């Protein structure tokens, strides 16, 4: 009797699939019946007849990855019935089929019970843990850039060149800004995005990558945005998701976050090449508005490259980061102009990223012009030898 308080009944089923009904009634004639299928020891049967929940799979594609963060953010804050039991009571986020009652709300075409990755009845940041715990990187998702749409790119800091001294540093950082759109072509109705990029895993150790949201970004205040990053070091790949969580999309452009790589000195010190390219290749973008509709984007530079220059290249130079030397236009198609300011130049050399010389000119005066018509398109290093030391710049020949 319910009047006497909660009671427990134990019954052992003989078959894999059973229909159990609970009938409740009162003495004045009111009654109700609730029936559920019970699948003791037969999760495959359960998933054939009911909509199973896999913890971390918020978009119901049987995988948990950064694209699930977008779904979670779209349904953020919704509430529904908590899962009544778990296959592993000690770990409610274990990757196993879970029974759950349907929620009254849906996100896209997916019932919100799938977004409740930890099963506590609330869609919030705690559900991200299940995505990380059960992470399966996506390989099949295909996205295509659209010419003229708002652009996405990585922009390395510090002129894309990093000066390195093996004897003085245990490690050093390389930072790349994630830039969305431009003033001329901004994003409209952006709610979030998910993508991945590959990096030179031979230069970066495990757990040596992080992403930090720019608190001044047009996407919104940090409290309104979910930031997710997952490093798959064995693949040399990092998966990212940044998404609002208040149901309101925004317009704008600019830097929205910075990815930091920590490079171990011993790795660089063991390499013989003085010019070490550090390239990031971006792919598999999904951008959505607040309703989940996909947005177009452009990707004019899917590969971003910085160059680590070992100290043996400039060990006797007096490199001054405040040096007034100007190099333009950059990117360049025909002629490159070098303005030395008050410095006296001696020679100018252009190298490819393998350290092979492409061109050498003698400098006369404070302004020099160099033809690059005979150099194939690509990223190159410009080494300027002056009376005050060596200055190294990166140029992009188109």
């Amino acid at each position: 009797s319910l009047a006497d308080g909660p009671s427990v009944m134990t019954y052992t089923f003989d078959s894999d699939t059973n229909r159990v009904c609970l009938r409740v009634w009162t003495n004045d004639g009111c009654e109700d019946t609730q029936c559920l299928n019970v699948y003791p020891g037969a999760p495959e049967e359960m998933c054939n007849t009911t909509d199973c929940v896999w913890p971390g799979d918020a978009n119901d594609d049987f995988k948990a990855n950064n694209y699930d963060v977008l779904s979670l953010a779209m349904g953020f804050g919704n509430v529904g019935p908590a899962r009544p039991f778990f296959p592993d009571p000690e770990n409610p986020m274990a990757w196993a089929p879970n029974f759950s009652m349907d929620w009254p709300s849906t996100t896209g075409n997916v019932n919100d019970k799938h977004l409740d990755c930890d099963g506590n009845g609330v869609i919030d940041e705690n559900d991200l843990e299940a995505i990380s715990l059960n992470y399966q990187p996506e390989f099949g998702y295909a996205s295509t850039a659209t010419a003229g749409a708002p652009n996405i790119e990585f922009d390395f800091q510090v002129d894309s060149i990093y000066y390195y001294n093996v004897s003085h540093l245990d490690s050093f950082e390389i930072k790349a800004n994630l830039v969305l759109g431009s003033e001329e072509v901004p994003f409209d109705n952006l709610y979030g995005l998910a993508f991945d990029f590959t990096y030179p895993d031979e230069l970066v150790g495990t757990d040596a990558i992080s992403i930090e949201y720019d608190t001044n970004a047009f996407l919104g205040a940090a409290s309104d945005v979910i930031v997710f990053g997952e490093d798959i070091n064995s693949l040399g790949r990092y998966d990212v998701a940044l998404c609002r969580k208040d149901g309101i999309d925004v317009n704008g452009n600019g830097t929205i976050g910075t990815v930091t790589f920590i490079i171990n000195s011993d790795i660089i010190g063991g390499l013989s090449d003085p010019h070490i390219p550090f390239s990031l290749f971006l792919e598999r973008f999904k951008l959505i508005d607040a309703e989940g509709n996909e947005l177009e984007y452009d990707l004019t530079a899917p590969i971003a490259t910085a160059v680590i220059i070992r100290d043996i290249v400039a060990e006797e130079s007096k490199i001054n980061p405040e040096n007034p030397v100007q190099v333009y236009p950059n990117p360049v198609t025909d002629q490159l102009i070098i303005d030395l300011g008050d410095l006296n130049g001696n020679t100018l050399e252009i190298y490819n990223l393998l350290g092979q010389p492409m061109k050498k000119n003698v400098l006369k005066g404070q302004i020099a012009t160099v033809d690059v018509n005979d150099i194939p398109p690509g990223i190159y290093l410009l080494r300027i030898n002056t009376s005050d030391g060596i200055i190294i710049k990166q140029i992009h020949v188109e």
Side-chain angles (χ1 to χ4, degrees), residues 22-38:
L22 174 66
R23 178 170 172 258
V24 181
W25 68 93
T26 65
N27 292 331
D28 57 3
C30 293
E31 68 173 70
D32 192 17
T33 302
Q34 177 71 52
C35 295
L36 291 175
N37 290 329
V38 178

PDB file of all heavy atoms in Angstrom, residues 22-38:
ATOM      1  N   LEU A  22       2.316  -0.979 -14.098  1.00  0.00           N
ATOM      2  CA  LEU A  22       2.020  -0.551 -12.733  1.00  0.00           C
ATOM      3  C   LEU A  22       0.639   0.100 -12.723  1.00  0.00           C
ATOM      4  O   LEU A  22       0.406   1.083 -13.423  1.00  0.00           O
ATOM      5  CB  LEU A  22       3.079   0.441 -12.237  1.00  0.00           C
ATOM      6  CG  LEU A  22       2.822   1.079 -10.871  1.00  0.00           C
ATOM      7  CD1 LEU A  22       2.884   0.012  -9.760  1.00  0.00           C
ATOM      8  CD2 LEU A  22       3.817   2.202 -10.604  1.00  0.00           C
ATOM      9  N   ARG A  23      -0.285  -0.482 -11.943  1.00  0.00           N
ATOM     10  CA  ARG A  23      -1.649   0.052 -11.854  1.00  0.00           C
ATOM     11  C   ARG A  23      -1.846   0.644 -10.460  1.00  0.00           C
ATOM     12  O   ARG A  23      -1.570   0.009  -9.450  1.00  0.00           O
ATOM     13  CB  ARG A  23      -2.684  -1.053 -12.105  1.00  0.00           C
ATOM     14  CG  ARG A  23      -4.139  -0.616 -11.997  1.00  0.00           C
ATOM     15  CD  ARG A  23      -5.072  -1.698 -12.486  1.00  0.00           C
ATOM     16  NE  ARG A  23      -6.466  -1.366 -12.211  1.00  0.00           N
ATOM     17  CZ  ARG A  23      -7.182  -1.889 -11.218  1.00  0.00           C
ATOM     18  NH1 ARG A  23      -6.641  -2.804 -10.408  1.00  0.00           N
ATOM     19  NH2 ARG A  23      -8.437  -1.531 -11.032  1.00  0.00           N
ATOM     20  N   VAL A  24      -2.270   1.902 -10.429  1.00  0.00           N
ATOM     21  CA  VAL A  24      -2.494   2.605  -9.169  1.00  0.00           C
ATOM     22  C   VAL A  24      -3.959   3.038  -9.106  1.00  0.00           C
ATOM     23  O   VAL A  24      -4.486   3.573 -10.096  1.00  0.00           O
ATOM     24  CB  VAL A  24      -1.559   3.845  -9.058  1.00  0.00           C
ATOM     25  CG1 VAL A  24      -1.788   4.552  -7.726  1.00  0.00           C
ATOM     26  CG2 VAL A  24      -0.097   3.437  -9.201  1.00  0.00           C
ATOM     27  N   TRP A  25      -4.618   2.809  -7.978  1.00  0.00           N
ATOM     28  CA  TRP A  25      -6.012   3.194  -7.851  1.00  0.00           C
ATOM     29  C   TRP A  25      -6.316   3.677  -6.443  1.00  0.00           C
ATOM     30  O   TRP A  25      -5.535   3.438  -5.508  1.00  0.00           O
ATOM     31  CB  TRP A  25      -6.927   2.024  -8.223  1.00  0.00           C
ATOM     32  CG  TRP A  25      -6.883   0.874  -7.256  1.00  0.00           C
ATOM     33  CD1 TRP A  25      -7.695   0.669  -6.198  1.00  0.00           C
ATOM     34  CD2 TRP A  25      -5.969  -0.212  -7.277  1.00  0.00           C
ATOM     35  NE1 TRP A  25      -7.359  -0.477  -5.532  1.00  0.00           N
ATOM     36  CE2 TRP A  25      -6.276  -1.046  -6.196  1.00  0.00           C
ATOM     37  CE3 TRP A  25      -4.897  -0.557  -8.110  1.00  0.00           C
ATOM     38  CZ2 TRP A  25      -5.570  -2.208  -5.911  1.00  0.00           C
ATOM     39  CZ3 TRP A  25      -4.199  -1.712  -7.845  1.00  0.00           C
ATOM     40  CH2 TRP A  25      -4.533  -2.530  -6.745  1.00  0.00           C
ATOM     41  N   THR A  26      -7.430   4.366  -6.319  1.00  0.00           N
ATOM     42  CA  THR A  26      -7.882   4.855  -5.014  1.00  0.00           C
ATOM     43  C   THR A  26      -9.238   4.244  -4.702  1.00  0.00           C
ATOM     44  O   THR A  26      -9.917   3.698  -5.589  1.00  0.00           O
ATOM     45  CB  THR A  26      -7.989   6.390  -5.011  1.00  0.00           C
ATOM     46  OG1 THR A  26      -9.013   6.785  -5.934  1.00  0.00           O
ATOM     47  CG2 THR A  26      -6.666   7.035  -5.372  1.00  0.00           C
ATOM     48  N   ASN A  27      -9.649   4.356  -3.467  1.00  0.00           N
ATOM     49  CA  ASN A  27     -10.920   3.771  -3.051  1.00  0.00           C
ATOM     50  C   ASN A  27     -12.127   4.463  -3.668  1.00  0.00           C
ATOM     51  O   ASN A  27     -13.225   3.908  -3.704  1.00  0.00           O
ATOM     52  CB  ASN A  27     -11.038   3.807  -1.522  1.00  0.00           C
ATOM     53  CG  ASN A  27     -10.042   2.873  -0.854  1.00  0.00           C
ATOM     54  OD1 ASN A  27      -9.666   1.869  -1.446  1.00  0.00           O
ATOM     55  ND2 ASN A  27      -9.637   3.201   0.359  1.00  0.00           N
ATOM     56  N   ASP A  28     -11.927   5.726  -4.140  1.00  0.00           N
ATOM     57  CA  ASP A  28     -13.071   6.446  -4.716  1.00  0.00           C
ATOM     58  C   ASP A  28     -13.161   6.278  -6.234  1.00  0.00           C
ATOM     59  O   ASP A  28     -13.864   7.018  -6.908  1.00  0.00           O
ATOM     60  CB  ASP A  28     -13.025   7.921  -4.338  1.00  0.00           C
ATOM     61  CG  ASP A  28     -11.733   8.587  -4.772  1.00  0.00           C
ATOM     62  OD1 ASP A  28     -10.900   7.907  -5.424  1.00  0.00           O
ATOM     63  OD2 ASP A  28     -11.544   9.782  -4.455  1.00  0.00           O
ATOM     64  N   GLY A  29     -12.387   5.319  -6.784  1.00  0.00           N
ATOM     65  CA  GLY A  29     -12.576   4.974  -8.193  1.00  0.00           C
ATOM     66  C   GLY A  29     -11.584   5.562  -9.162  1.00  0.00           C
ATOM     67  O   GLY A  29     -11.666   5.306 -10.372  1.00  0.00           O
ATOM     68  N   CYS A  30     -10.624   6.390  -8.714  1.00  0.00           N
ATOM     69  CA  CYS A  30      -9.597   6.935  -9.622  1.00  0.00           C
ATOM     70  C   CYS A  30      -8.479   5.917  -9.813  1.00  0.00           C
ATOM     71  O   CYS A  30      -8.070   5.241  -8.850  1.00  0.00           O
ATOM     72  CB  CYS A  30      -9.018   8.223  -9.054  1.00  0.00           C
ATOM     73  SG  CYS A  30     -10.195   9.584  -8.988  1.00  0.00           S
ATOM     74  N   GLU A  31      -8.010   5.787 -11.049  1.00  0.00           N
ATOM     75  CA  GLU A  31      -6.906   4.864 -11.294  1.00  0.00           C
ATOM     76  C   GLU A  31      -6.095   5.305 -12.508  1.00  0.00           C
ATOM     77  O   GLU A  31      -6.562   6.065 -13.349  1.00  0.00           O
ATOM     78  CB  GLU A  31      -7.409   3.437 -11.480  1.00  0.00           C
ATOM     79  CG  GLU A  31      -8.215   3.212 -12.749  1.00  0.00           C
ATOM     80  CD  GLU A  31      -8.546   1.730 -12.946  1.00  0.00           C
ATOM     81  OE1 GLU A  31      -9.370   1.198 -12.175  1.00  0.00           O
ATOM     82  OE2 GLU A  31      -7.953   1.131 -13.871  1.00  0.00           O
ATOM     83  N   ASP A  32      -4.870   4.782 -12.570  1.00  0.00           N
ATOM     84  CA  ASP A  32      -3.990   5.061 -13.704  1.00  0.00           C
ATOM     85  C   ASP A  32      -3.045   3.867 -13.868  1.00  0.00           C
ATOM     86  O   ASP A  32      -2.733   3.157 -12.896  1.00  0.00           O
ATOM     87  CB  ASP A  32      -3.180   6.333 -13.482  1.00  0.00           C
ATOM     88  CG  ASP A  32      -2.472   6.794 -14.758  1.00  0.00           C
ATOM     89  OD1 ASP A  32      -2.867   6.327 -15.843  1.00  0.00           O
ATOM     90  OD2 ASP A  32      -1.528   7.597 -14.649  1.00  0.00           O
ATOM     91  N   THR A  33      -2.618   3.641 -15.109  1.00  0.00           N
ATOM     92  CA  THR A  33      -1.726   2.524 -15.402  1.00  0.00           C
ATOM     93  C   THR A  33      -0.557   3.005 -16.245  1.00  0.00           C
ATOM     94  O   THR A  33      -0.745   3.741 -17.229  1.00  0.00           O
ATOM     95  CB  THR A  33      -2.465   1.394 -16.145  1.00  0.00           C
ATOM     96  OG1 THR A  33      -3.563   0.944 -15.343  1.00  0.00           O
ATOM     97  CG2 THR A  33      -1.523   0.230 -16.435  1.00  0.00           C
ATOM     98  N   GLN A  34       0.633   2.622 -15.881  1.00  0.00           N
ATOM     99  CA  GLN A  34       1.848   2.950 -16.631  1.00  0.00           C
ATOM    100  C   GLN A  34       2.557   1.645 -16.978  1.00  0.00           C
ATOM    101  O   GLN A  34       2.849   0.834 -16.083  1.00  0.00           O
ATOM    102  CB  GLN A  34       2.784   3.836 -15.806  1.00  0.00           C
ATOM    103  CG  GLN A  34       4.101   4.167 -16.483  1.00  0.00           C
ATOM    104  CD  GLN A  34       3.910   5.135 -17.638  1.00  0.00           C
ATOM    105  OE1 GLN A  34       3.308   6.183 -17.484  1.00  0.00           O
ATOM    106  NE2 GLN A  34       4.408   4.778 -18.808  1.00  0.00           N
ATOM    107  N   CYS A  35       2.819   1.432 -18.273  1.00  0.00           N
ATOM    108  CA  CYS A  35       3.469   0.194 -18.714  1.00  0.00           C
ATOM    109  C   CYS A  35       4.811   0.512 -19.378  1.00  0.00           C
ATOM    110  O   CYS A  35       4.924   1.480 -20.144  1.00  0.00           O
ATOM    111  CB  CYS A  35       2.586  -0.568 -19.700  1.00  0.00           C
ATOM    112  SG  CYS A  35       1.031  -1.170 -18.989  1.00  0.00           S
ATOM    113  N   LEU A  36       5.798  -0.302 -19.110  1.00  0.00           N
ATOM    114  CA  LEU A  36       7.124  -0.163 -19.711  1.00  0.00           C
ATOM    115  C   LEU A  36       7.633  -1.538 -20.126  1.00  0.00           C
ATOM    116  O   LEU A  36       7.315  -2.548 -19.481  1.00  0.00           O
ATOM    117  CB  LEU A  36       8.120   0.458 -18.721  1.00  0.00           C
ATOM    118  CG  LEU A  36       7.926   1.916 -18.329  1.00  0.00           C
ATOM    119  CD1 LEU A  36       8.941   2.298 -17.245  1.00  0.00           C
ATOM    120  CD2 LEU A  36       8.082   2.832 -19.538  1.00  0.00           C
ATOM    121  N   ASN A  37       8.425  -1.565 -21.184  1.00  0.00           N
ATOM    122  CA  ASN A  37       9.137  -2.780 -21.547  1.00  0.00           C
ATOM    123  C   ASN A  37      10.397  -2.876 -20.698  1.00  0.00           C
ATOM    124  O   ASN A  37      11.116  -1.887 -20.523  1.00  0.00           O
ATOM    125  CB  ASN A  37       9.501  -2.795 -23.022  1.00  0.00           C
ATOM    126  CG  ASN A  37       8.285  -2.967 -23.917  1.00  0.00           C
ATOM    127  OD1 ASN A  37       7.316  -3.622 -23.521  1.00  0.00           O
ATOM    128  ND2 ASN A  37       8.322  -2.390 -25.103  1.00  0.00           N
ATOM    129  N   VAL A  38      10.678  -4.033 -20.182  1.00  0.00           N
ATOM    130  CA  VAL A  38      11.865  -4.270 -19.361  1.00  0.00           C
ATOM    131  C   VAL A  38      12.735  -5.278 -20.085  1.00  0.00           C
ATOM    132  O   VAL A  38      12.247  -6.299 -20.593  1.00  0.00           O
ATOM    133  CB  VAL A  38      11.475  -4.794 -17.959  1.00  0.00           C
ATOM    134  CG1 VAL A  38      12.721  -5.086 -17.135  1.00  0.00           C
ATOM    135  CG2 VAL A  38      10.599  -3.774 -17.257  1.00  0.00           C
TER     136      VAL A  38
END
